[in-house]
Amino acid sequence: MGHKQPPPLFHDFLQHVLLLLFLSLILLFPHLQMHHFASCNTTSGEHVGCLDVEKEALVDLKQGFTDPYGRLSSWQGQDCCKWKGVECNNQTGHVIKLDLRNPENSYRFGTPDNFYMIGGEISPSLHQLKHLQYLDLSINDFDGKNIPKFIGSLRHLRYLDLSSSRFSGTIPPHLGNLSSLSYLNLGYNYGSPRLMVDSLHWLSGLPSLTYLNMDTVNLTITYDWLDHVNMLPNLQKLYLGGCELNNLPSSLSFVNFTSLLVLDLPGNNFYTSIPQWLADLPKLLTLDIEKSSIQGFISDALGTLSSLQYLDLSMNQIDGKIPRSLGNLCNLKELRLSSNNISGEISDFFDELSKCPNNSLESLLLDENQITGSLPVSLGSATKLRTFGVRKNRMNGTIAESMGKLSQLDQLDLSSNFFKDVVTESHFANLTKLTFLDLSSPSEKSLVLHVNSKWIPSFNDNLRGLKLSNCQVGPSFPSWIRTLRNVYSISLKNSGISDTLPDWFGELSGLSDLDISFNQITGRIPFEFRLNQSDSLSLPQFPSLSTLFVTRNKLSGSIPSNIGRLMPKLLVFDLSMNKINGSIPSSICELTQLKVLVLSDNELAGELPQWCWKYLQQLNYVDLGYNLLTGKLPSSLILLSSSQILKLSNNKFYGELPSSFENHTKLQSMDLGENGLSGIVPSWIGSGFPLLKVLGLHSNRFTGEIPSQLCSLSRLQVLDLGQNELQGSIPRCFGNFNAMAMVQRDIDTIGLSWIGVYSSYSLVVSVTLSKGRELNFTNNLRLLKSVDLSYNDLSGDIPQELTKLVGLNILNLSMNHLEGTIPEKIGNLEKLEALDLSQNQLTGPIPQSITSLSFLNHLNLSYNDLKGRIPSGNQLNSLYNPSIYEANPELCGPPLANKCEGNETTERELTSPRNKDEDDKVWIASFFASMGVGFVIGFWGLFGILVVKKSWRHSYFQFIEGIIDRVYVFFAIKITQMQG
Ligand SMILES: *[C@@H]1O[C@H](CO)[C@@H](O)[C@H](O)[C@H]1NC(C)=O
Ligand SMILES: *[C@@H]1O[C@H](CO)[C@@H](O)[C@H](O)[C@H]1NC(C)=O
Ligand SMILES: *[C@@H]1O[C@H](CO)[C@@H](O)[C@H](O)[C@H]1NC(C)=O
């Protein structure tokens, strides 16, 4: 039978009743109002609704305020009780509530939007509103003013919110007179200097307080903050995030604030362990002490907080295991322990949790710890789990098939571990809601994904992001990817695929990021697949594709002549290290959003499009090196946006540098080495490129003198002019290269980070130095400082000024006609790792100071006219190789056989002599060890689960801590928007 509609008659009846009710309300309403006014008048004997004195006070208040958006425009007329934000007692007419909170509650990047702000002065007349119970001035802009003391005289206040209004200075202890106060919010006042307090003793005057928020107030000098807070027996919610607190006592003689439900202390500097007294807060629901330098173990005591629903201890220095007792917290919904030093296995925790009759765990984040072992079978009992991240741990065991039972799972990040297992269909059996899956490993293919070629994953409609880099997925191309209808981002980097690319890729029309780099994929490049389908010729095949990484495969074929229309949204296009041939079509200039173009190490030939590069206004990273490209450099190839890198080295370009290159004013790296370029080194390079850090013109046919204007490149760190036909002397002003004259590491190195919605990439700048030594560096690695003028026709002496470049790592002046002596102060170049002055006409002695070059690994002084005894001592003794001094007839002493005349008594004691080549290898190997060659793509983890924060204020803490964290904020916001 089920539900029945009411019969029509009954329906009509109802309508009539409602109508009658409505009419009687309208009729009654004025009567009620009259009654109210009358009673108001009779009890107070003052003006109806609003008292004059209070009205005057409000008018004063309005006059003190600035109100550019007219939020107080209703503040006129007799009855101030009707003004917006004002509320009166209906018996006495007194103003009891003043709510001027900005309705536009929006914060971006830690600074308030200037929207609907009230500002200016808070008139002292405010204290005339003696009956005020509720005062809210939050989310306005009082521009660094102090919180007025007279607020302390509003003794009936129960609710006071002065948050996010840029108050500054010391919080007046007068607030301690507000003995009825239940709610106090002074958080997020980041006026400068920040709001602070001398002492919190005044809190003892607020026994009714249930809510206290002082987020970001500078409480650094209140060592006894906890004693004062502990005196608040009714306190339920305490927020002291980012308060510069540095004292968290581990014990309390008496725990008084047992009503506490929320304890929120993130972003402080406690340098202590998790306090014992937490176990005496039985009602606690939320505990957040993230990013506060908490140390030591997680104590078992936390396992007794049986009400706890949210526990966040991430970004601390916690070590030890996750205690089994945490598994007793059957009400826990979110557990965040990311970015600590937690070790041991997690099976105990899950085993214990599986004993809960009904566990609540929805989110478990353990990223960036030292956790080992396996994902246990008991994982399958956490059936409410939606977010699970153990990224970047040391888990080296297996993954239980019971994972396939987590039917609510939305985000799963097991990346950057060392699991050794074969993952099959059953691991994903019921994961129907999965939207993000990351099983990437750091390097080895120890995790194997082995599924039937006909598999249709249960999550095929929901998955948005898939990352399987460094997993063994191949050798065949995984055909189930075709079923992922809504996939947005795919990485199959280095996943052992040696297959031709399937022809269904164009069906994944929502694809935005595709990375299939570092495989053995053969065949044509991916965008030509659907060319045979008649109707697709004119349509974009990858309408959403924004990043395409195909580097290091065996793809062949040429770049299609209509590339611009096939992938109109492309931002990052990397086809490097394949076998792509043909020329670069001018259609590439239709990719108007392109930022990064990397086509290096292919077989591209022919001339570049000459005129159209100017349409690529966003381009800031171009690497076309190691191809067979020829012709003159296009004068339109000028990078206009910031942070630019231009690499055209190892091709067959010829002709002079186009004078239009002068307009590359934001260029940071220009590498044109190993081409056939000729003409002079233009002087405008010196004046036009104030940001230039790398200039590589080596192995070309440049002639003339080195222009002294180059010396104004104060940020230059790599100057490579080797193997040209340069003449004249080395400009003395080379000593002005400020960046090379600084010893400290350059943190602000070259590079490019690109942040997508789910991933970020950072690109490596690589510079080819003369003699085939290719050095790569990323943002994280140091940028070498190097001057190479070798293989030219330079004459004159070595300027003493070069010894000012004390940050230099490499100095190569070999194969010139340099005369005179080696500068006496060569030892000042204390960071020098390679020094080559061979094959010149240098005379005089080798300066003794050379022995103070303690990092020197490579030295060559051969084929000169140097005289006298070879200095000895320190690092020089380890370069015991006669060939580095050979063909200097008048040099003497070890390691040469040639004995010095006179006192030859001292034979050096040497460690076992090493061969020069070996030294060379060690030296180069040490660069490559940590760098990896070529292109490095640094993902942040597909999901950034860690950064999806529960509220804005966490983002704020990140914001105030610098660039890296600013990226983090940006990322967090992106994610938030995605979810919103
Ligand atoms: C309020 O009461 C006073 C006298 O008590 C009277 O003069 C005045 O008219 C009353 N006002 C109203 C609106 O009833
Ligand atoms: C007066 O206000 C009190 C509480 O603010 C409310 O409970 C009461 O219903 C109001 N009376 C009238 C007549 O509006
Ligand atoms: C907090 O206050 C202390 C002491 O007054 C001061 O030294 C410190 O610089 C302040 N910190 C911030 C971030 O304003």
Side-chain angles (χ1 to χ4, degrees):
M1 292 298 216
H3 264 294
K4 265 192 171 174
Q5 288 287 326
L9 258 176
F10 178 68
H11 203 234
D12 276 353
F13 174 68
L14 241 170
Q15 274 190 352
H16 281 110
V17 169
L18 283 174
L19 192 67
L20 271 172
L21 260 171
F22 181 67
L23 283 173
S24 54
L25 269 175
I26 288 181
L27 290 170
L28 280 170
F29 191 65
H31 168 68
L32 281 174
Q33 276 230 331
M34 290 279 286
H35 172 70
H36 151 204
F37 280 4
S39 74
C40 180
N41 196 12
T42 48
T43 48
S44 67
E46 298 259 359
H47 197 278
V48 170
C50 177
L51 293 102
D52 277 340
V53 59
E54 298 192 350
K55 192 180 83 186
E56 293 309 319
L58 289 171
V59 169
D60 282 355
L61 206 56
K62 179 181 176 180
Q63 272 162 4
F65 286 148
T66 56
D67 179 22
Y69 293 91
R71 279 176 49 203
L72 304 181
S73 56
S74 71
W75 284 28
Q76 51 194 348
Q78 284 304 310
D79 188 1
C80 71
C81 298
K82 289 181 175 157
W83 296 357
K84 200 171 172 197
V86 180
E87 211 177 291
C88 302
N89 180 310
N90 55 18
Q91 304 294 319
T92 64
H94 287 300
V95 175
I96 53 171
K97 178 168 175 179
L98 188 54
D99 181 359
L100 299 181
R101 182 183 179 86
N102 188 342
E104 198 64 24
N105 176 4
S106 67
Y107 278 81
R108 285 180 204 144
F109 294 93
T111 48
D113 278 348
N114 205 15
F115 241 34
Y116 295 108
M117 296 286 182
I118 285 173
E121 302 282 344
I122 300 174
S123 163
S125 303
L126 178 66
H127 86 270
Q128 296 291 348
L129 304 178
K130 293 194 190 333
H131 298 266
L132 208 56
Q133 296 174 5
Y134 185 110
L135 177 60
D136 189 343
L137 301 178
S138 61
I139 320 184
N140 287 302
D141 186 358
F142 294 102
D143 195 21
K145 297 206 175 55
N146 289 349
I147 292 177
K149 296 189 176 78
F150 53 77
I151 289 185
S153 64
L154 301 170
R155 287 173 191 252
H156 296 287
L157 272 188
R158 292 184 193 152
Y159 184 104
L160 177 59
D161 190 344
L162 302 178
S163 64
S164 309
S165 286
R166 285 226 294 151
F167 285 110
S168 176
T170 304
I171 295 174
H174 308 70
L175 295 188
N177 297 334
L178 303 175
S179 55
S180 305
L181 207 60
S182 162
Y183 180 104
L184 177 58
N185 192 345
L186 302 173
Y188 319 110
N189 277 293
Y190 22 89
S192 182
R194 276 165 53 189
L195 206 53
M196 59 172 293
V197 296
D198 297 329
S199 159
L200 287 173
H201 69 271
W202 50 270
L203 283 180
S204 60
L206 311 177
S208 310
L209 213 55
T210 59
Y211 178 104
L212 176 60
N213 188 329
M214 298 180 88
D215 278 327
T216 76
V217 175
N218 187 347
L219 299 181
T220 198
I221 55 176
T222 58
Y223 288 99
D224 52 357
W225 67 273
L226 186 60
D227 295 332
H228 295 297
V229 168
N230 189 26
M231 287 301 115
L232 299 171
N234 295 307
L235 194 64
Q236 295 183 347
K237 299 184 177 179
L238 176 63
Y239 300 89
L240 298 177
C243 289
E244 316 265 323
L245 290 171
N246 42 33
N247 183 28
L248 183 65
S250 55
S251 61
L252 271 178
S253 51
F254 172 63
V255 179
N256 187 37
F257 59 157
T258 52
S259 305
L260 216 55
L261 304 175
V262 175
L263 180 57
D264 196 77
L265 304 171
N268 287 296
N269 314 302
F270 293 127
Y271 296 99
T272 181
S273 54
I274 297 170
Q276 291 301 318
W277 46 263
L278 286 176
D280 299 326
L281 299 173
K283 297 183 183 163
L284 211 56
L285 299 175
T286 294
L287 175 60
D288 183 347
I289 327 185
E290 72 184 290
K291 210 171 184 193
S292 288
S293 298
I294 296 291
Q295 301 168 331
F297 301 142
I298 300 175
S299 70
D300 275 332
L302 285 187
T304 64
L305 296 173
S306 54
S307 307
L308 205 60
Q309 295 182 355
Y310 182 96
L311 175 58
D312 191 346
L313 298 172
S314 44
M315 292 188 270
N316 284 300
Q317 290 115 44
I318 294 169
D319 46 32
K321 278 187 64 158
I322 298 177
R324 192 180 183 96
S325 60
L326 276 196
N328 297 331
L329 301 177
C330 298
N331 290 311
L332 200 61
K333 287 187 177 162
E334 273 195 70
L335 177 57
R336 293 171 175 249
L337 299 173
S338 300
S339 301
N340 280 291
N341 295 319
I342 294 167
S343 56
E345 306 201 357
I346 53 175
S347 44
D348 280 358
F349 167 75
F350 278 115
D351 289 353
E352 200 63 28
L353 193 71
S354 67
K355 294 179 195 161
C356 288
N358 195 359
N359 80 67
S360 310
L361 198 62
E362 291 175 8
S363 174
L364 177 59
L365 295 182
L366 305 173
D367 303 319
E368 299 190 32
N369 279 292
Q370 315 280 332
I371 294 168
T372 54
S374 301
L375 288 184
V377 178
S378 47
L379 167 67
S381 65
T383 49
K384 294 194 180 145
L385 208 54
R386 289 165 46 185
T387 307
F388 182 38
V390 288
R391 182 173 51 86
K392 253 191 165 177
N393 277 283
R394 294 165 184 265
M395 302 198 74
N396 51 5
T398 55
I399 299 173
E401 273 184 18
S402 63
M403 186 176 83
K405 293 185 189 165
L406 303 178
S407 59
Q408 301 301 311
L409 207 58
D410 176 43
Q411 308 194 345
L412 175 62
D413 187 350
L414 307 182
S415 65
S416 297
N417 279 288
F418 304 92
F419 288 111
K420 290 187 193 63
D421 204 350
V422 178
V423 176
T424 64
E425 290 95 336
S426 46
H427 284 89
F428 305 103
N430 291 320
L431 306 190
T432 48
K433 295 193 175 166
L434 205 59
T435 59
F436 298 104
L437 173 62
D438 191 347
L439 300 179
S440 305
S441 298
S443 56
E444 286 304 307
K445 296 193 189 73
S446 55
L447 194 63
V448 179
L449 183 70
H450 186 79
V451 294
N452 189 296
S453 65
K454 301 217 167 66
W455 185 45
I456 298 177
S458 59
F459 49 73
N460 73 315
D461 276 344
N462 288 321
L463 203 72
R464 302 271 287 145
L466 172 68
K467 236 186 119 199
L468 298 172
S469 46
N470 297 314
C471 289
Q472 180 65 40
V473 177
S476 311
F477 210 95
S479 50
W480 54 271
I481 284 184
R482 186 177 187 175
T483 69
L484 304 177
R485 249 166 272 178
N486 295 305
V487 73
Y488 182 94
S489 176
I490 297 178
S491 172
L492 294 170
K493 182 181 172 186
N494 191 27
S495 54
I497 299 173
S498 47
D499 197 356
T500 51
L501 261 175
D503 58 7
W504 41 256
F505 248 93
E507 294 170 20
L508 303 175
S509 57
L511 202 58
S512 169
D513 300 323
L514 178 62
D515 184 351
I516 52 171
S517 58
F518 293 82
N519 283 294
Q520 307 275 316
I521 298 171
T522 53
R524 313 282 290 177
I525 35 182
F527 27 62
E528 290 187 284
F529 300 140
R530 277 173 48 183
L531 284 184
N532 54 356
Q533 288 189 13
S534 54
D535 64 336
S536 65
L537 265 174
S538 54
L539 299 171
Q541 280 176 294
F542 294 93
S544 311
L545 200 64
S546 74
T547 66
L548 179 60
F549 288 91
V550 186
T551 185
R552 290 203 185 218
N553 277 290
K554 294 180 170 176
L555 290 162
S556 53
S558 53
I559 301 174
S561 58
N562 58 348
I563 173 86
R565 267 160 286 147
L566 294 177
M567 305 182 179
K569 298 237 174 95
L570 217 51
L571 291 177
V572 180
F573 186 32
D574 181 0
L575 287 182
S576 59
M577 303 203 198
N578 278 287
K579 294 178 176 164
I580 310 292
N581 53 30
S583 60
I584 298 178
S586 58
S587 170
I588 209 149
C589 301
E590 293 169 37
L591 299 171
T592 51
Q593 308 194 20
L594 202 63
K595 286 179 187 294
V596 176
L597 177 63
V598 185
L599 303 175
S600 54
D601 274 286
N602 277 296
E603 292 159 16
L604 293 165
E607 300 198 1
L608 295 179
Q610 281 295 315
W611 53 271
C612 70
W613 294 95
K614 59 175 180 276
Y615 297 119
L616 302 184
Q617 301 261 326
Q618 309 293 321
L619 205 58
N620 55 16
Y621 189 115
V622 175
D623 182 355
L624 307 178
Y626 292 92
N627 277 295
L628 306 165
L629 297 166
T630 185
K632 295 192 172 184
L633 297 179
S635 55
S636 70
L637 181 50
I638 297 171
L639 311 185
L640 294 168
S641 63
S642 57
S643 173
Q644 307 134 2
I645 286 113
L646 179 61
K647 184 172 175 182
L648 303 174
S649 62
N650 298 76
N651 277 292
K652 295 176 173 179
F653 292 113
Y654 56 80
E656 301 185 0
L657 285 182
S659 59
S660 62
F661 272 33
E662 189 176 358
N663 299 329
H664 270 120
T665 50
K666 292 178 190 160
L667 209 61
Q668 293 198 41
S669 172
M670 177 156 78
D671 186 0
L672 307 176
E674 309 224 7
N675 277 293
L677 299 171
S678 57
I680 56 162
V681 175
S683 59
W684 46 254
I685 290 184
S687 50
F689 300 161
L691 306 176
L692 202 66
K693 293 180 180 175
V694 174
L695 177 59
L697 299 178
H698 62 94
S699 310
N700 278 293
R701 288 192 216 115
F702 288 107
T703 52
E705 301 200 353
I706 299 174
S708 60
Q709 286 86 346
L710 288 192
C711 301
S712 42
L713 296 172
S714 61
R715 303 205 182 177
L716 200 66
Q717 301 192 31
V718 174
L719 174 62
D720 195 346
L721 303 177
Q723 297 198 53
N724 278 293
E725 292 155 27
L726 299 171
Q727 294 168 336
S729 55
I730 301 174
R732 300 207 167 268
C733 64
F734 267 25
N736 298 352
F737 291 131
N738 284 343
M740 299 190 201
M742 286 189 288
V743 173
Q744 73 268 37
R745 268 192 203 187
D746 182 13
I747 340 166
D748 169 39
T749 47
I750 315 177
L752 178 80
S753 288
W754 179 82
I755 302 163
V757 179
Y758 300 129
S759 53
S760 81
Y761 310 93
S762 58
L763 305 177
V764 181
V765 180
S766 76
V767 183
T768 322
L769 298 179
S770 299
K771 292 188 178 175
R773 286 200 287 257
E774 174 138 338
L775 307 175
N776 298 294
F777 33 85
T778 64
N779 290 343
N780 312 337
L781 300 164
R782 68 195 179 126
L783 176 52
L784 284 177
K785 298 179 180 178
S786 156
V787 169
D788 192 334
L789 306 176
S790 63
Y791 281 91
N792 276 295
D793 294 321
L794 298 172
S795 53
D797 58 0
I798 300 176
Q800 294 287 340
E801 286 81 356
L802 279 186
T803 63
K804 288 191 204 163
L805 306 181
V806 295
L808 219 50
N809 306 108
I810 299 173
L811 178 60
N812 188 351
L813 305 177
S814 64
M815 306 252 205
N816 279 294
H817 311 295
L818 299 172
E819 301 161 340
T821 57
I822 299 176
E824 194 62 41
K825 295 182 184 162
I826 191 80
N828 287 2
L829 302 180
E830 55 183 66
K831 297 288 178 188
L832 218 51
E833 293 171 39
L835 174 63
D836 193 341
L837 304 177
S838 64
Q839 308 212 37
N840 279 294
Q841 285 125 43
L842 299 171
T843 57
I846 301 174
Q848 181 64 33
S849 75
I850 204 168
T851 62
S852 53
L853 299 179
S854 49
F855 295 107
L856 202 61
N857 272 309
H858 175 97
L859 175 67
N860 195 346
L861 302 177
S862 63
Y863 294 91
N864 277 295
D865 290 320
L866 299 168
K867 295 183 172 60
R869 180 186 292 279
I870 295 171
S872 70
N874 304 330
Q875 176 68 6
L876 209 54
N877 290 8
S878 69
L879 305 174
Y880 189 80
N881 182 344
S883 71
I884 68 178
Y885 302 109
E886 76 177 326
N888 287 284
E890 293 180 55
L891 272 186
C892 64
L896 293 177
N898 203 7
K899 290 196 173 175
C900 295
E901 289 178 14
N903 56 340
E904 54 203 64
T905 42
T906 52
E907 268 299 317
R908 292 193 295 183
E909 293 103 49
L910 291 167
T911 50
S912 61
R914 282 197 303 183
N915 169 302
K916 168 189 175 290
D917 280 353
E918 247 172 48
D919 285 336
D920 232 347
K921 276 182 210 146
V922 171
W923 178 58
I924 293 169
S926 70
F927 286 120
F928 281 95
S930 55
M931 287 178 196
V933 187
F935 222 82
V936 173
I937 300 150
F939 282 89
W940 267 19
L942 190 58
F943 320 144
I945 292 177
L946 183 76
V947 301
V948 183
K949 305 310 288 188
K950 54 183 180 184
S951 72
W952 284 109
R953 60 204 177 79
H954 295 282
S955 301
Y956 172 68
F957 300 132
Q958 308 309 324
F959 175 75
I960 55 181
E961 291 201 20
I963 285 179
I964 300 288
D965 282 346
R966 210 166 302 168
V967 171
Y968 179 115
V969 170
F970 174 68
F971 200 49
I973 287 167
K974 273 282 193 192
I975 296 275
T976 314
Q977 284 171 348
M978 284 294 307
Q979 295 187 329

PDB file of all heavy atoms in Angstrom, residues 32 35-36 39 87-91 96 133, ligand 2:
ATOM      1  N   LEU A  32       0.516  43.229  18.601  1.00  0.00           N
ATOM      2  CA  LEU A  32       1.665  42.775  19.398  1.00  0.00           C
ATOM      3  C   LEU A  32       2.691  43.887  19.537  1.00  0.00           C
ATOM      4  O   LEU A  32       3.230  44.149  20.590  1.00  0.00           O
ATOM      5  CB  LEU A  32       2.318  41.564  18.740  1.00  0.00           C
ATOM      6  CG  LEU A  32       1.614  40.226  18.971  1.00  0.00           C
ATOM      7  CD1 LEU A  32       2.267  39.135  18.142  1.00  0.00           C
ATOM      8  CD2 LEU A  32       1.628  39.886  20.468  1.00  0.00           C
ATOM      9  N   HIS A  35       1.617  46.589  21.886  1.00  0.00           N
ATOM     10  CA  HIS A  35       1.757  46.111  23.243  1.00  0.00           C
ATOM     11  C   HIS A  35       3.215  46.226  23.703  1.00  0.00           C
ATOM     12  O   HIS A  35       3.516  46.719  24.772  1.00  0.00           O
ATOM     13  CB  HIS A  35       1.290  44.651  23.296  1.00  0.00           C
ATOM     14  CG  HIS A  35       1.567  44.000  24.600  1.00  0.00           C
ATOM     15  ND1 HIS A  35       0.883  44.350  25.737  1.00  0.00           N
ATOM     16  CD2 HIS A  35       2.456  43.037  24.955  1.00  0.00           C
ATOM     17  CE1 HIS A  35       1.326  43.636  26.747  1.00  0.00           C
ATOM     18  NE2 HIS A  35       2.298  42.832  26.296  1.00  0.00           N
ATOM     19  N   HIS A  36       4.046  45.831  22.828  1.00  0.00           N
ATOM     20  CA  HIS A  36       5.485  45.827  23.133  1.00  0.00           C
ATOM     21  C   HIS A  36       5.967  47.253  23.380  1.00  0.00           C
ATOM     22  O   HIS A  36       6.618  47.546  24.375  1.00  0.00           O
ATOM     23  CB  HIS A  36       6.204  45.110  21.979  1.00  0.00           C
ATOM     24  CG  HIS A  36       7.604  45.544  21.703  1.00  0.00           C
ATOM     25  ND1 HIS A  36       8.170  45.376  20.484  1.00  0.00           N
ATOM     26  CD2 HIS A  36       8.549  46.111  22.488  1.00  0.00           C
ATOM     27  CE1 HIS A  36       9.407  45.829  20.510  1.00  0.00           C
ATOM     28  NE2 HIS A  36       9.653  46.277  21.715  1.00  0.00           N
ATOM     29  N   SER A  39       4.564  48.591  26.690  1.00  0.00           N
ATOM     30  CA  SER A  39       5.223  48.078  27.877  1.00  0.00           C
ATOM     31  C   SER A  39       6.624  48.666  27.991  1.00  0.00           C
ATOM     32  O   SER A  39       7.107  48.953  29.065  1.00  0.00           O
ATOM     33  CB  SER A  39       5.273  46.554  27.850  1.00  0.00           C
ATOM     34  OG  SER A  39       6.242  46.135  26.917  1.00  0.00           O
ATOM     35  N   GLU A  87      20.443  45.413  18.401  1.00  0.00           N
ATOM     36  CA  GLU A  87      19.303  44.702  18.957  1.00  0.00           C
ATOM     37  C   GLU A  87      19.077  45.200  20.377  1.00  0.00           C
ATOM     38  O   GLU A  87      20.038  45.408  21.117  1.00  0.00           O
ATOM     39  CB  GLU A  87      19.613  43.202  18.982  1.00  0.00           C
ATOM     40  CG  GLU A  87      18.390  42.336  18.808  1.00  0.00           C
ATOM     41  CD  GLU A  87      18.777  40.869  18.760  1.00  0.00           C
ATOM     42  OE1 GLU A  87      19.407  40.468  17.755  1.00  0.00           O
ATOM     43  OE2 GLU A  87      18.479  40.157  19.730  1.00  0.00           O
ATOM     44  N   CYS A  88      17.821  45.437  20.732  1.00  0.00           N
ATOM     45  CA  CYS A  88      17.523  45.969  22.059  1.00  0.00           C
ATOM     46  C   CYS A  88      16.743  44.938  22.871  1.00  0.00           C
ATOM     47  O   CYS A  88      16.100  44.049  22.321  1.00  0.00           O
ATOM     48  CB  CYS A  88      16.656  47.227  21.960  1.00  0.00           C
ATOM     49  SG  CYS A  88      17.418  48.520  20.992  1.00  0.00           S
ATOM     50  N   ASN A  89      16.788  45.153  24.147  1.00  0.00           N
ATOM     51  CA  ASN A  89      15.942  44.358  25.032  1.00  0.00           C
ATOM     52  C   ASN A  89      14.512  44.807  24.837  1.00  0.00           C
ATOM     53  O   ASN A  89      14.217  45.999  24.888  1.00  0.00           O
ATOM     54  CB  ASN A  89      16.390  44.586  26.480  1.00  0.00           C
ATOM     55  CG  ASN A  89      15.559  43.782  27.449  1.00  0.00           C
ATOM     56  OD1 ASN A  89      14.323  43.814  27.397  1.00  0.00           O
ATOM     57  ND2 ASN A  89      16.227  43.071  28.325  1.00  0.00           N
ATOM     58  N   ASN A  90      13.590  43.869  24.649  1.00  0.00           N
ATOM     59  CA  ASN A  90      12.212  44.249  24.322  1.00  0.00           C
ATOM     60  C   ASN A  90      11.453  44.736  25.543  1.00  0.00           C
ATOM     61  O   ASN A  90      10.369  45.266  25.421  1.00  0.00           O
ATOM     62  CB  ASN A  90      11.493  43.115  23.589  1.00  0.00           C
ATOM     63  CG  ASN A  90      11.539  41.815  24.379  1.00  0.00           C
ATOM     64  OD1 ASN A  90      11.802  41.835  25.585  1.00  0.00           O
ATOM     65  ND2 ASN A  90      11.275  40.716  23.696  1.00  0.00           N
ATOM     66  N   GLN A  91      12.029  44.598  26.716  1.00  0.00           N
ATOM     67  CA  GLN A  91      11.398  45.116  27.925  1.00  0.00           C
ATOM     68  C   GLN A  91      11.926  46.507  28.254  1.00  0.00           C
ATOM     69  O   GLN A  91      11.177  47.435  28.492  1.00  0.00           O
ATOM     70  CB  GLN A  91      11.685  44.197  29.126  1.00  0.00           C
ATOM     71  CG  GLN A  91      11.261  42.747  28.910  1.00  0.00           C
ATOM     72  CD  GLN A  91       9.765  42.599  28.795  1.00  0.00           C
ATOM     73  OE1 GLN A  91       9.002  43.230  29.533  1.00  0.00           O
ATOM     74  NE2 GLN A  91       9.319  41.801  27.844  1.00  0.00           N
ATOM     75  N   ILE A  96      21.284  45.663  23.574  1.00  0.00           N
ATOM     76  CA  ILE A  96      21.959  44.516  24.184  1.00  0.00           C
ATOM     77  C   ILE A  96      22.878  43.781  23.211  1.00  0.00           C
ATOM     78  O   ILE A  96      23.728  43.013  23.619  1.00  0.00           O
ATOM     79  CB  ILE A  96      20.941  43.504  24.771  1.00  0.00           C
ATOM     80  CG1 ILE A  96      19.914  43.115  23.704  1.00  0.00           C
ATOM     81  CG2 ILE A  96      20.279  44.059  26.023  1.00  0.00           C
ATOM     82  CD1 ILE A  96      19.023  41.962  24.133  1.00  0.00           C
ATOM     83  N   GLN A 133      25.311  42.974  25.761  1.00  0.00           N
ATOM     84  CA  GLN A 133      25.652  41.593  26.115  1.00  0.00           C
ATOM     85  C   GLN A 133      26.455  40.910  25.003  1.00  0.00           C
ATOM     86  O   GLN A 133      27.136  39.927  25.253  1.00  0.00           O
ATOM     87  CB  GLN A 133      24.372  40.776  26.342  1.00  0.00           C
ATOM     88  CG  GLN A 133      23.568  41.262  27.512  1.00  0.00           C
ATOM     89  CD  GLN A 133      22.240  40.537  27.626  1.00  0.00           C
ATOM     90  OE1 GLN A 133      21.962  39.600  26.884  1.00  0.00           O
ATOM     91  NE2 GLN A 133      21.415  40.984  28.546  1.00  0.00           N
TER      92      GLN A 133
HETATM   93  C1  LIG B   2      11.414  39.508  24.509  1.00  0.00           C
HETATM   94  O1  LIG B   2      12.689  38.911  24.401  1.00  0.00           O
HETATM   95  C2  LIG B   2      12.765  37.664  25.018  1.00  0.00           C
HETATM   96  C3  LIG B   2      14.194  37.210  24.943  1.00  0.00           C
HETATM   97  O2  LIG B   2      15.004  38.104  24.286  1.00  0.00           O
HETATM   98  C4  LIG B   2      11.833  36.711  24.341  1.00  0.00           C
HETATM   99  O3  LIG B   2      11.894  35.453  24.966  1.00  0.00           O
HETATM  100  C5  LIG B   2      10.433  37.258  24.411  1.00  0.00           C
HETATM  101  O4  LIG B   2       9.565  36.422  23.691  1.00  0.00           O
HETATM  102  C6  LIG B   2      10.366  38.649  23.864  1.00  0.00           C
HETATM  103  N1  LIG B   2       9.043  39.187  24.098  1.00  0.00           N
HETATM  104  C7  LIG B   2       8.353  39.788  23.148  1.00  0.00           C
HETATM  105  C8  LIG B   2       7.028  40.284  23.542  1.00  0.00           C
HETATM  106  O5  LIG B   2       8.777  39.927  22.008  1.00  0.00           O
END
